[in-house]
């Protein structure tokens, strides 16, 4: 019988770990009581969740005690369970909100090699809303919201667990995809006749022209596994996107549609321009939509070996990109020749660097030290004489990087100030010219002080 993947449930005492354990195994194997510390030893059981089978471990409530004491020995058992697990479910009590022990557990888990899924238990109703918002400060992204007692939110838990547990031999888990050693998923898009097919063939070192589809049949983008200087690349080929069209407008629509289909599979997108034609409106539309989808973008001027007035052309395209792409300034602009191969190595090097920035995560401490300096250098405005108080900033996700800003009256924070923060994050924290998302959140507790 195949060994099942393992899930450990971790959290401070009395957040509902044993209740969730019982819910997952389908029977009351673990004792449950309102008294904290009922569970001491690790308890294991076979879980079945919407067709997903795994081994689940119920751990003792994590307490910061000396190792010679009983709570300290219980904590050691909990730490051992997490080390053995494929993924850990970090439970917090959404109704109680975040307490110092939750923050202590979060610091320990961030230093662990085990992937962590944050779970906000007891999240049903309005009573748990504040705790859910506070949990973002722990640095594990948006929590899975559920009620272990009532069985609400198990579908969301299934979706969070699936990448870590299902089909590990065939499908790379999400954590592996974020590894710098994982294949770079690179899509090459652009208008017809920009030279995509020639560039793909030059990269692969063989004539592998993808012919267009039969009339009326939509073609999926094709992934070609390839190695460049010992590094793995999964090339998303859109070379065959051309379709017969009598009207130029229709051809452009098909061009954009196929390019965006390739974007769905990519991490970094290379927008290939024809240097003999410069930057056209349709190129900007494609670039803008790539950034709106949250993908990292690199622009490459092809046919550079036959371009006229090269310096003037380069500067003109760069200025037009900065002006036309309001989301991101300073998108990398490269020059290549698919015909001769010149510039391809530099293009791929920049593509890997761009993915690193797109996947970057900044520690909460470093992020908030930067945040304090940013608001000290340029305090937020006070519309109507009422001060906007910005409390803290946390990175909720990567790929693309997303940040959540907490404070009072943040709904009145001007767009210009939000751009100031986003531009500073890119400039000072190593994100470069990748799309950065900033979400504003204020406490929803009607009795909270503003």
């Amino acid at each position: 019988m195949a060994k099942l993947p393992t899930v450990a449930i971790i959290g401070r005492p009395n957040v509902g770990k044993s209740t969730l354990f019982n819910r997952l195994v389908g029977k009351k194997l673990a004792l449950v009581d309102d008294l904290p510390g009922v569970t001491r030893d690790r308890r294991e059981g076979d879980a079945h969740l919407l067709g997903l089978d795994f081994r689940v471990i119920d751990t003792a409530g994590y307490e910061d005690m000396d190792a010679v004491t009983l709570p300290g020995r219980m904590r050691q058992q909990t730490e051992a369970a997490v080390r053995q697990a494929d993924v850990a479910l970090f439970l917090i009590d959404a109704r109680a909100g975040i307490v110092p022990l939750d923050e202590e557990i979060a610091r320990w888990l961030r230093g662990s090699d085990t992937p962590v899924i944050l779970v906000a238990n007891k999240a049903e109703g309005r009573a748990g809303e504040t705790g859910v918002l506070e949990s973002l400060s722990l640095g594990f992204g948006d929590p899975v919201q559920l009620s272990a007692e009532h069985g609400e939110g198990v579908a969301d838990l299934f979706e969070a667990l699936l990448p870590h547990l299902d089909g590990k031999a065939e499908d790379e888990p999400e954590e592996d995809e974020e590894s710098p050693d994982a294949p770079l998923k690179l899509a090459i898009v652009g208008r017809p006749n920009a030279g995509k097919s020639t560039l793909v063939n030059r990269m692969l070192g063989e004539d592998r022209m993808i012919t267009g589809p039969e009339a009326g049949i939509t073609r999926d983008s094709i992934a070609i596994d390839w190695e460049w200087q010992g590094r793995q690349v999964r090339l998303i080929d859109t070379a065959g996107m051309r379709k017969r069209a009598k009207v130029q407008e229709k051809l452009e629509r098909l061009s954009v549609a196929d390019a965006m289909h390739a974007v769905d599979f990519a991490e970094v997108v290379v927008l290939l321009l024809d240097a003999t034609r410069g930057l056209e409106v349709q190129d900007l539309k494609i670039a803008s939509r790539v950034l709106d989808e949250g993908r990292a973008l690199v622009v490459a001027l092809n046919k550079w070996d036959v371009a006229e007035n090269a310096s003037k052309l380069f500067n003109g395209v760069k200025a037009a990109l900065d002006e036309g792409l309001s989301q991101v300034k300073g998108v990398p602009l490269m020059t290549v020749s698919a015909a001769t191969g010149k510039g391809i190595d530099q293009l791929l090097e920049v593509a890997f660097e761009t993915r690193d920035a797109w996947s970057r995560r900044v520690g909460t401490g470093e992020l908030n030290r930067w945040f304090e300096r940013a608001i000290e250098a340029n305090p937020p405005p006070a519309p109507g004489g009422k001060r906007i108080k910005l409390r803290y900033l946390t990175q909720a996700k990567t790929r693309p990087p997303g940040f959540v800003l907490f404070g009072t009256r943040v709904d009145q924070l001007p767009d210009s100030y939000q751009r100031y923060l986003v531009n500073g994050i890119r400039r000072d924290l190593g994100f470069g010219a990748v799309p950065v998302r900033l979400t504003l959140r204020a406490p929803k507790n009607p009795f909270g002080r503003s």
Side-chain angles (χ1 to χ4, degrees):
M1 184 176 177
K3 183 181 177 182
L4 292 173
T6 304
V7 176
I9 304 175
I10 173 81
R12 61 182 176 82
N14 215 31
V15 293
K17 297 184 298 297
S18 294
T19 305
L20 178 59
F21 174 87
N22 288 340
R23 172 71 58 183
L24 292 173
V25 299
K27 58 185 80 170
K28 292 187 177 180
L29 294 181
L31 295 176
V32 178
D33 194 88
D34 289 336
L35 183 68
V38 171
T39 302
R40 288 181 174 175
D41 293 310
R42 284 182 279 168
R43 186 180 297 273
E44 299 187 19
D46 289 336
H48 183 79
L49 180 63
L50 303 178
L52 189 62
D53 295 312
F54 53 93
R55 191 81 174 158
V56 63
I57 306 174
D58 182 25
T59 66
Y62 189 98
E63 296 186 65
D64 189 13
M65 301 288 283
D66 190 277
V68 299
T69 65
L70 175 60
R73 295 198 301 275
M74 290 159 55
R75 189 193 72 219
Q76 288 180 322
Q77 286 288 308
T78 297
E79 292 173 349
V82 170
R83 283 195 299 272
Q84 296 170 12
D86 293 290
V87 62
L89 298 180
F90 176 21
L91 250 68
I92 58 117
D93 184 337
R95 294 188 177 184
I98 301 303
V99 302
L101 187 51
D102 291 321
E103 295 172 343
E104 168 76 19
I105 296 169
R107 280 193 291 273
W108 165 60
L109 286 173
R110 284 197 293 269
S112 165
D113 292 329
T114 304
V116 176
I117 296 171
L118 182 62
V119 179
N121 190 28
K122 309 179 188 178
E124 68 273 21
R126 295 181 60 85
E129 288 182 356
T130 300
V132 169
L133 290 174
E134 289 178 357
S135 72
L136 289 166
S137 66
L138 298 175
F140 296 107
D142 288 322
V144 174
Q145 300 178 45
L146 59 76
S147 168
E149 183 176 359
H150 302 295
E152 297 175 9
V154 291
D156 294 333
L157 181 61
F158 167 84
E159 288 187 7
L161 283 169
L162 190 63
H164 300 282
L165 305 182
D166 188 50
K168 296 174 71 177
E170 292 111 14
D171 302 318
E172 292 178 341
E174 189 174 333
E175 288 288 324
D176 286 347
E177 289 181 354
E178 295 194 21
S179 164
D181 297 325
L184 168 67
K185 296 177 182 175
L186 182 70
I188 299 175
V189 303
R191 288 166 47 80
N193 299 319
K196 297 180 301 299
S197 301
T198 308
L199 181 62
V200 168
N201 288 340
R202 174 64 63 177
M203 286 178 167
L204 298 176
E206 60 180 288
D207 288 335
R208 189 166 176 173
M209 176 71 75
I210 308 296
T211 58
E214 297 176 12
I217 298 177
T218 302
R219 177 186 68 81
D220 287 335
S221 298
I222 297 172
I224 303 169
D225 289 323
W226 171 57
E227 186 175 298
W228 171 74
Q229 296 187 357
R231 305 172 81 175
Q232 298 301 311
V233 179
R234 184 161 298 155
L235 198 59
I236 315 296
D237 177 31
T238 62
M241 75 189 204
R242 221 165 323 185
K243 296 182 180 180
R244 280 185 293 179
K246 294 181 180 178
V247 184
Q248 183 68 19
E249 204 174 295
K250 180 181 178 184
L251 186 59
E252 291 180 349
R253 282 203 310 272
L254 292 170
S255 167
V256 175
D258 195 83
M260 296 315 299
H261 189 60
V263 167
D264 292 340
F265 298 93
E267 297 169 329
V268 178
V269 176
V270 173
L271 173 59
L272 200 65
L273 309 181
D274 183 341
T276 64
R277 298 171 64 182
L279 183 71
E280 301 186 18
V281 173
Q282 202 65 27
D283 297 316
L284 279 175
K285 287 182 180 178
I286 295 174
S288 184
R289 290 183 63 177
V290 168
L291 294 172
D292 288 343
E293 287 295 316
R295 301 303 191 267
L297 177 67
V298 178
V299 179
L301 277 164
N302 188 27
K303 307 180 186 178
W304 196 244
D305 52 319
V306 294
E308 297 179 2
N309 299 317
S311 177
K312 181 179 179 182
L313 171 64
F314 185 89
N315 292 330
V317 170
K318 191 166 185 60
L321 286 171
D322 283 343
E323 184 180 346
L325 300 178
S326 58
Q327 309 98 314
V328 175
K329 303 295 183 188
V331 168
L333 177 61
M334 312 296 294
T335 59
V336 298
S337 169
T340 67
K342 189 173 182 180
I344 290 179
D345 285 344
Q346 292 88 336
L347 173 64
L348 286 162
E349 189 65 49
V350 167
F352 273 100
E353 291 172 357
T354 302
R355 183 183 68 168
D356 289 344
W358 186 68
S359 307
R360 178 169 164 72
R361 180 175 291 280
V362 179
T364 302
E366 179 187 356
L367 181 61
N368 279 282
R369 285 191 293 273
W370 171 86
F371 180 55
E372 289 171 6
R373 293 194 300 270
I375 59 178
E376 183 178 346
N378 182 15
K386 293 185 177 180
R387 192 161 60 97
I388 297 173
K389 183 164 185 178
L390 304 181
R391 298 185 182 278
Y392 62 89
L393 185 68
T394 185
Q395 185 172 0
K397 65 185 292 289
T398 61
R399 305 162 65 88
F403 297 83
V404 181
L405 174 60
F406 291 86
T408 54
R409 282 188 282 278
V410 289
D411 57 322
Q412 299 178 44
L413 193 65
D415 290 344
S416 58
Y417 197 85
Q418 295 179 48
R419 286 194 298 273
Y420 161 71
L421 292 176
V422 168
N423 290 336
I425 288 170
R426 285 203 190 97
R427 181 186 63 247
D428 301 334
L429 297 177
F431 288 96
V434 300
V436 169
R437 307 282 192 251
L438 181 65
T439 304
L440 309 180
R441 291 197 178 167
K444 293 186 178 180
N445 184 353
F447 303 105
R449 290 177 297 173
S450 57

